[in-house]
Amino acid sequence: MNIPEIHTHDIDAENRIIYLHGGDPVDGCEPGVDYRMSSKFIKNLNILTLSSKDPIFIHMNTIGGEWSYGMAIYDAIKKCPCHITIVAYSWARSMSSIIFQAADRRILMPYACFMVHWGTYSDSGHYLTVKSGMEFGQKTEKMMLDIYSEKCVDGPFFKSQNMNVQDVSKYIEDKIITKSDWWLTAEEAVHYGFADQVF
């Protein structure tokens, strides 16, 4: 095990482990999913994928963050030919709850929580620019619901209700509209199919 490699580059190549977390604090807070996290993660994932098709283990500990960079991480995991397990610490919330869904095996630590919401949007400039951005935001909402519902349809709760993917998507959408931020314990996240197990 190369300790400096792990702390500097967030990868343990020998044991096929990647650490997914924010970089240096911004105003004392973890910066979340951004271009630095995304770029480093994709490099590390490619390094492990090119060396072997053995399973990869990801330790994730991040608050969430920017949509596009998070979806870059999501796509990289989904397209990876290796079996990938993600263990989420602290929480899987907002963008990190979406990244979490890309794994073949999704594990929450016992006191980790799970949260889904629409996220936040801000813009400025010409009103057509803002309008265009808001329209795209509506598309990302549907993408997010599709990602959740395709996984959750096999969860214990939705299977017991004989719900299809469209029913599940509507259920999750209604929860977000009602609660704005839908918070779940690790056990509740497994119950609804957002996670496979609690560690």
Side-chain angles (χ1 to χ4, degrees), residues 35-90:
Y35 72 95
R36 294 166 298 184
M37 178 194 289
S38 176
S39 298
K40 181 179 277 192
F41 176 81
I42 291 169
K43 288 175 192 172
N44 285 337
L45 187 63
N46 285 337
I47 288 168
L48 296 186
T49 302
L50 290 171
S51 68
S52 167
K53 296 301 180 278
D54 289 342
I56 295 170
F57 206 87
I58 298 168
H59 292 276
M60 182 176 75
N61 191 7
T62 180
I63 59 172
E66 209 277 332
W67 169 267
S68 296
Y69 295 119
M71 291 310 295
I73 294 170
Y74 176 90
D75 283 339
I77 294 170
K78 285 292 284 186
K79 300 303 179 189
C80 181
C82 307
H83 184 279
I84 292 182
T85 298
I86 296 180
V87 175
Y89 297 77
S90 302

Side-chain angles (χ1 to χ4, degrees), residues 152-184:
C152 290
V153 71
D154 293 321
F157 173 74
F158 295 114
K159 285 182 87 169
S160 73
Q161 302 296 311
N162 294 314
M163 290 188 179
N164 60 30
V165 173
Q166 291 76 28
D167 296 331
V168 174
S169 180
K170 182 67 169 62
Y171 185 97
I172 295 169
E173 182 179 21
D174 288 345
K175 283 288 190 182
I176 295 171
I177 290 170
T178 302
K179 294 178 174 290
S180 182
D181 293 344
W182 183 21
W183 288 95
L184 301 166

Side-chain angles (χ1 to χ4, degrees), residues 128-168:
L128 288 175
T129 301
V130 176
K131 181 176 179 245
S132 178
M134 291 175 67
E135 288 169 353
F136 182 72
Q138 290 177 316
K139 292 177 184 176
T140 64
E141 287 177 3
K142 181 170 187 319
M143 292 177 204
M144 181 185 77
L145 287 172
D146 288 346
I147 288 168
Y148 289 141
S149 57
E150 286 169 11
K151 285 285 196 169
C152 290
V153 71
D154 293 321
F157 173 74
F158 295 114
K159 285 182 87 169
S160 73
Q161 302 296 311
N162 294 314
M163 290 188 179
N164 60 30
V165 173
Q166 291 76 28
D167 296 331
V168 174

